[in-house]
Amino acid sequence: MTSAPSADLVMEKLLQEAVREFPGWDFDRDPSGWTAVRGETRFTRPSLAALRALLRVHRVVRRG
């Protein structure tokens, strides 16, 4: 019988993917959700998935 990965392991993998996808951003988790900071820019969202989606949009808009 195999066991499902723990939520902590899954979240760690998602965080590692976010760090690779968005180099230069610092990610942090607090009771209100997830935060990404780069220089003076700071985004906070309730989930890591929502934060990554926002960062993707931010990246596209900056390329303009």
Side-chain angles (χ1 to χ4, degrees), residues 11-57:
M11 191 56 61
E12 183 62 30
K13 181 179 179 190
L14 292 173
L15 179 57
Q16 289 173 0
E17 290 172 3
V19 168
R20 279 193 303 272
E21 185 177 2
F22 302 101
W25 287 89
D26 294 319
F27 293 88
D28 192 26
R29 186 176 187 185
D30 61 37
S32 65
W34 283 88
T35 301
V37 178
R38 183 176 186 180
E40 297 294 318
T41 306
R42 177 185 186 94
F43 296 115
T44 301
R45 289 296 182 266
S47 71
L48 185 54
L51 182 58
R52 289 174 70 185
L54 176 66
L55 289 173
R56 287 181 187 122
V57 170

Side-chain angles (χ1 to χ4, degrees), residues 1 4 8 14-15 22 31-32 36 39 60-64:
M1 175 184 278
D8 289 339
L14 292 173
L15 179 57
F22 302 101
S32 65
V60 169
V61 169
R62 288 191 69 218
R63 286 183 190 162

